[in-house]
Amino acid sequence: MFRFCFLLFLLLAPATLSELCNPQDKNVLLKIKKDLNNPYLLASWKSNTDCCDWYTVTCDSTTNRINSLTIFSGQLSAQIPTSVGDLPYLEKLEFRELSDLTGPIQPTIAKLTNLNFLRLKNTNISGPVPNFLAQLKKLTFLDLSFNDLTGTIPSALSQFPNLNALHLDGNKLTGPIPDSFGFFNKVPDLYLSHNQLSGKIPVSLGNLKLTVIDLSWNKLEGDASFLLGPSLTTQIIDVSRNLLQFDLSNVKFTNSLTSLDLSHNSIFGSLPAGLTALNLQYLNVSYNSLCGQIPVGGKLQSFTIYEYFHNKCLCGSPLPSC
């Protein structure tokens, strides 16, 4: 009789015996599902199954605590649930490709002190970029691109000690680039394009050993030549489609530069001969006020007329002869 009862118990409760997921984490995930209005995307999230096996969720192999939550490309109409802040072991949090995700960036995210990867991308979340994100000292990657975020960029974002990449592109951010961005402890790839940023680019950015800086499609003005200097390590620079105005004639370039887009500004002067020494894979200086002959050599003649045209009096191959 005892053997029969034991076998019956095994048949009725297999999930309980084999489940790895922490019960507290499981309850939080079920709350998140409810707050997201039980979307079909999370159909695998069932109370009678192991949450370490659920879609979009990852458990740590040692502690079995939830360390990753990635929700993307699904039909859901809600705000980011405040309960995401109750997953204390979370290292990666991602909400992306969710056009009906609205509301602000929840303050409870600041409780996730183990977070090193945060991506909230291609949604309709709105409101400001919050200062409290700077409390996440372990972040190495922050992507808030292509949302409806407004207001100015908080200077506190420069306080991340280990950030490798900062994406704020594709929002409705206004005001200047904070001068504090020239003082990152570890210099991230910087993506601020497709906003409404204005004013001058902080000269402090010229102190950074950047790899990528994209400031295109804004309303920035003044001089950007200090971003090109020979002591820098920048590989990709895009400051196109701004209101920049400076003389390019005597600018010295970093040898690390592989891609340079200065198009759609009011840059004047001539193209420096130093461009011929660079291993450029891409160059665009169109729609400016440049004059004189395009230097011969390097990669400069490998680009098409479209990378040079609509200047004041630029000439020479690949444009018509001077």
Side-chain angles (χ1 to χ4, degrees), residues 269-287:
S270 58
L271 289 179
L275 284 170
T276 61
L278 303 181
N279 185 30
L280 288 172
Q281 307 303 308
Y282 181 77
L283 173 70
N284 194 336
V285 295
S286 63
Y287 290 91

PDB file of all heavy atoms in Angstrom, residues 269-287:
ATOM      1  N   GLY A 269      36.046  75.766 -46.109  1.00  0.00           N
ATOM      2  CA  GLY A 269      37.466  75.520 -46.304  1.00  0.00           C
ATOM      3  C   GLY A 269      37.685  74.439 -47.346  1.00  0.00           C
ATOM      4  O   GLY A 269      36.832  74.186 -48.202  1.00  0.00           O
ATOM      5  N   SER A 270      38.826  73.773 -47.287  1.00  0.00           N
ATOM      6  CA  SER A 270      39.170  72.735 -48.258  1.00  0.00           C
ATOM      7  C   SER A 270      39.381  71.404 -47.548  1.00  0.00           C
ATOM      8  O   SER A 270      39.467  71.341 -46.316  1.00  0.00           O
ATOM      9  CB  SER A 270      40.450  73.131 -49.008  1.00  0.00           C
ATOM     10  OG  SER A 270      41.516  73.324 -48.081  1.00  0.00           O
ATOM     11  N   LEU A 271      39.460  70.341 -48.344  1.00  0.00           N
ATOM     12  CA  LEU A 271      39.718  69.019 -47.779  1.00  0.00           C
ATOM     13  C   LEU A 271      41.224  68.889 -47.501  1.00  0.00           C
ATOM     14  O   LEU A 271      42.034  69.046 -48.411  1.00  0.00           O
ATOM     15  CB  LEU A 271      39.277  67.928 -48.748  1.00  0.00           C
ATOM     16  CG  LEU A 271      37.767  67.760 -48.929  1.00  0.00           C
ATOM     17  CD1 LEU A 271      37.485  66.644 -49.937  1.00  0.00           C
ATOM     18  CD2 LEU A 271      37.079  67.434 -47.605  1.00  0.00           C
ATOM     19  N   PRO A 272      41.627  68.584 -46.268  1.00  0.00           N
ATOM     20  CA  PRO A 272      43.059  68.477 -45.948  1.00  0.00           C
ATOM     21  C   PRO A 272      43.717  67.287 -46.645  1.00  0.00           C
ATOM     22  O   PRO A 272      43.102  66.226 -46.814  1.00  0.00           O
ATOM     23  CB  PRO A 272      43.072  68.272 -44.426  1.00  0.00           C
ATOM     24  CG  PRO A 272      41.717  68.691 -43.957  1.00  0.00           C
ATOM     25  CD  PRO A 272      40.772  68.405 -45.088  1.00  0.00           C
ATOM     26  N   ALA A 273      44.964  67.449 -47.034  1.00  0.00           N
ATOM     27  CA  ALA A 273      45.710  66.368 -47.678  1.00  0.00           C
ATOM     28  C   ALA A 273      45.874  65.179 -46.740  1.00  0.00           C
ATOM     29  O   ALA A 273      46.063  64.041 -47.188  1.00  0.00           O
ATOM     30  CB  ALA A 273      47.074  66.879 -48.128  1.00  0.00           C
ATOM     31  N   GLY A 274      45.782  65.410 -45.437  1.00  0.00           N
ATOM     32  CA  GLY A 274      45.932  64.332 -44.463  1.00  0.00           C
ATOM     33  C   GLY A 274      44.895  63.234 -44.603  1.00  0.00           C
ATOM     34  O   GLY A 274      45.102  62.114 -44.119  1.00  0.00           O
ATOM     35  N   LEU A 275      43.793  63.520 -45.271  1.00  0.00           N
ATOM     36  CA  LEU A 275      42.767  62.494 -45.485  1.00  0.00           C
ATOM     37  C   LEU A 275      43.286  61.338 -46.338  1.00  0.00           C
ATOM     38  O   LEU A 275      42.786  60.219 -46.240  1.00  0.00           O
ATOM     39  CB  LEU A 275      41.537  63.120 -46.153  1.00  0.00           C
ATOM     40  CG  LEU A 275      40.616  63.960 -45.261  1.00  0.00           C
ATOM     41  CD1 LEU A 275      39.591  64.702 -46.109  1.00  0.00           C
ATOM     42  CD2 LEU A 275      39.912  63.082 -44.234  1.00  0.00           C
ATOM     43  N   THR A 276      44.289  61.613 -47.162  1.00  0.00           N
ATOM     44  CA  THR A 276      44.795  60.561 -48.049  1.00  0.00           C
ATOM     45  C   THR A 276      45.572  59.489 -47.280  1.00  0.00           C
ATOM     46  O   THR A 276      45.784  58.386 -47.778  1.00  0.00           O
ATOM     47  CB  THR A 276      45.721  61.146 -49.136  1.00  0.00           C
ATOM     48  OG1 THR A 276      46.849  61.769 -48.496  1.00  0.00           O
ATOM     49  CG2 THR A 276      44.980  62.182 -49.974  1.00  0.00           C
ATOM     50  N   ALA A 277      45.989  59.799 -46.072  1.00  0.00           N
ATOM     51  CA  ALA A 277      46.772  58.849 -45.288  1.00  0.00           C
ATOM     52  C   ALA A 277      45.898  57.902 -44.469  1.00  0.00           C
ATOM     53  O   ALA A 277      46.413  56.980 -43.833  1.00  0.00           O
ATOM     54  CB  ALA A 277      47.712  59.604 -44.350  1.00  0.00           C
ATOM     55  N   LEU A 278      44.602  58.121 -44.482  1.00  0.00           N
ATOM     56  CA  LEU A 278      43.694  57.339 -43.642  1.00  0.00           C
ATOM     57  C   LEU A 278      43.151  56.127 -44.399  1.00  0.00           C
ATOM     58  O   LEU A 278      42.956  56.176 -45.616  1.00  0.00           O
ATOM     59  CB  LEU A 278      42.522  58.208 -43.192  1.00  0.00           C
ATOM     60  CG  LEU A 278      42.872  59.489 -42.436  1.00  0.00           C
ATOM     61  CD1 LEU A 278      41.606  60.229 -42.040  1.00  0.00           C
ATOM     62  CD2 LEU A 278      43.730  59.196 -41.218  1.00  0.00           C
ATOM     63  N   ASN A 279      42.885  55.076 -43.663  1.00  0.00           N
ATOM     64  CA  ASN A 279      42.288  53.867 -44.252  1.00  0.00           C
ATOM     65  C   ASN A 279      40.760  53.976 -44.163  1.00  0.00           C
ATOM     66  O   ASN A 279      40.094  53.202 -43.473  1.00  0.00           O
ATOM     67  CB  ASN A 279      42.787  52.625 -43.517  1.00  0.00           C
ATOM     68  CG  ASN A 279      42.285  51.342 -44.160  1.00  0.00           C
ATOM     69  OD1 ASN A 279      42.050  51.290 -45.368  1.00  0.00           O
ATOM     70  ND2 ASN A 279      42.106  50.303 -43.353  1.00  0.00           N
ATOM     71  N   LEU A 280      40.218  54.944 -44.858  1.00  0.00           N
ATOM     72  CA  LEU A 280      38.786  55.233 -44.774  1.00  0.00           C
ATOM     73  C   LEU A 280      37.973  54.202 -45.538  1.00  0.00           C
ATOM     74  O   LEU A 280      38.214  53.940 -46.719  1.00  0.00           O
ATOM     75  CB  LEU A 280      38.500  56.628 -45.336  1.00  0.00           C
ATOM     76  CG  LEU A 280      38.955  57.817 -44.484  1.00  0.00           C
ATOM     77  CD1 LEU A 280      38.779  59.115 -45.263  1.00  0.00           C
ATOM     78  CD2 LEU A 280      38.170  57.884 -43.181  1.00  0.00           C
ATOM     79  N   GLN A 281      36.972  53.649 -44.866  1.00  0.00           N
ATOM     80  CA  GLN A 281      36.015  52.781 -45.527  1.00  0.00           C
ATOM     81  C   GLN A 281      34.780  53.564 -45.956  1.00  0.00           C
ATOM     82  O   GLN A 281      34.032  53.132 -46.820  1.00  0.00           O
ATOM     83  CB  GLN A 281      35.593  51.646 -44.581  1.00  0.00           C
ATOM     84  CG  GLN A 281      36.767  50.859 -43.988  1.00  0.00           C
ATOM     85  CD  GLN A 281      37.654  50.272 -45.070  1.00  0.00           C
ATOM     86  OE1 GLN A 281      37.180  49.599 -45.983  1.00  0.00           O
ATOM     87  NE2 GLN A 281      38.956  50.519 -44.957  1.00  0.00           N
ATOM     88  N   TYR A 282      34.586  54.725 -45.326  1.00  0.00           N
ATOM     89  CA  TYR A 282      33.440  55.567 -45.681  1.00  0.00           C
ATOM     90  C   TYR A 282      33.800  57.019 -45.407  1.00  0.00           C
ATOM     91  O   TYR A 282      34.410  57.349 -44.386  1.00  0.00           O
ATOM     92  CB  TYR A 282      32.202  55.176 -44.862  1.00  0.00           C
ATOM     93  CG  TYR A 282      30.984  56.002 -45.203  1.00  0.00           C
ATOM     94  CD1 TYR A 282      30.258  55.748 -46.370  1.00  0.00           C
ATOM     95  CD2 TYR A 282      30.565  57.038 -44.382  1.00  0.00           C
ATOM     96  CE1 TYR A 282      29.148  56.517 -46.706  1.00  0.00           C
ATOM     97  CE2 TYR A 282      29.458  57.811 -44.710  1.00  0.00           C
ATOM     98  CZ  TYR A 282      28.758  57.552 -45.862  1.00  0.00           C
ATOM     99  OH  TYR A 282      27.648  58.306 -46.193  1.00  0.00           O
ATOM    100  N   LEU A 283      33.404  57.883 -46.339  1.00  0.00           N
ATOM    101  CA  LEU A 283      33.582  59.329 -46.186  1.00  0.00           C
ATOM    102  C   LEU A 283      32.422  60.035 -46.867  1.00  0.00           C
ATOM    103  O   LEU A 283      32.063  59.695 -47.998  1.00  0.00           O
ATOM    104  CB  LEU A 283      34.904  59.787 -46.821  1.00  0.00           C
ATOM    105  CG  LEU A 283      35.119  61.307 -46.874  1.00  0.00           C
ATOM    106  CD1 LEU A 283      35.352  61.859 -45.467  1.00  0.00           C
ATOM    107  CD2 LEU A 283      36.290  61.671 -47.788  1.00  0.00           C
ATOM    108  N   ASN A 284      31.832  61.014 -46.175  1.00  0.00           N
ATOM    109  CA  ASN A 284      30.780  61.806 -46.793  1.00  0.00           C
ATOM    110  C   ASN A 284      30.918  63.245 -46.317  1.00  0.00           C
ATOM    111  O   ASN A 284      30.804  63.528 -45.119  1.00  0.00           O
ATOM    112  CB  ASN A 284      29.394  61.256 -46.426  1.00  0.00           C
ATOM    113  CG  ASN A 284      28.286  61.836 -47.300  1.00  0.00           C
ATOM    114  OD1 ASN A 284      28.431  62.929 -47.854  1.00  0.00           O
ATOM    115  ND2 ASN A 284      27.183  61.115 -47.420  1.00  0.00           N
ATOM    116  N   VAL A 285      31.193  64.149 -47.255  1.00  0.00           N
ATOM    117  CA  VAL A 285      31.299  65.578 -46.933  1.00  0.00           C
ATOM    118  C   VAL A 285      30.304  66.389 -47.761  1.00  0.00           C
ATOM    119  O   VAL A 285      30.434  67.609 -47.884  1.00  0.00           O
ATOM    120  CB  VAL A 285      32.738  66.098 -47.170  1.00  0.00           C
ATOM    121  CG1 VAL A 285      33.713  65.430 -46.217  1.00  0.00           C
ATOM    122  CG2 VAL A 285      33.166  65.893 -48.621  1.00  0.00           C
ATOM    123  N   SER A 286      29.315  65.751 -48.340  1.00  0.00           N
ATOM    124  CA  SER A 286      28.355  66.427 -49.214  1.00  0.00           C
ATOM    125  C   SER A 286      27.509  67.447 -48.451  1.00  0.00           C
ATOM    126  O   SER A 286      27.403  67.390 -47.232  1.00  0.00           O
ATOM    127  CB  SER A 286      27.442  65.394 -49.888  1.00  0.00           C
ATOM    128  OG  SER A 286      26.662  64.699 -48.924  1.00  0.00           O
ATOM    129  N   TYR A 287      26.921  68.371 -49.213  1.00  0.00           N
ATOM    130  CA  TYR A 287      26.030  69.393 -48.653  1.00  0.00           C
ATOM    131  C   TYR A 287      26.724  70.227 -47.571  1.00  0.00           C
ATOM    132  O   TYR A 287      26.276  70.324 -46.442  1.00  0.00           O
ATOM    133  CB  TYR A 287      24.747  68.762 -48.096  1.00  0.00           C
ATOM    134  CG  TYR A 287      23.829  68.230 -49.164  1.00  0.00           C
ATOM    135  CD1 TYR A 287      23.933  66.911 -49.587  1.00  0.00           C
ATOM    136  CD2 TYR A 287      22.865  69.042 -49.765  1.00  0.00           C
ATOM    137  CE1 TYR A 287      23.108  66.406 -50.579  1.00  0.00           C
ATOM    138  CE2 TYR A 287      22.024  68.548 -50.760  1.00  0.00           C
ATOM    139  CZ  TYR A 287      22.156  67.230 -51.166  1.00  0.00           C
ATOM    140  OH  TYR A 287      21.333  66.731 -52.162  1.00  0.00           O
TER     141      TYR A 287
END
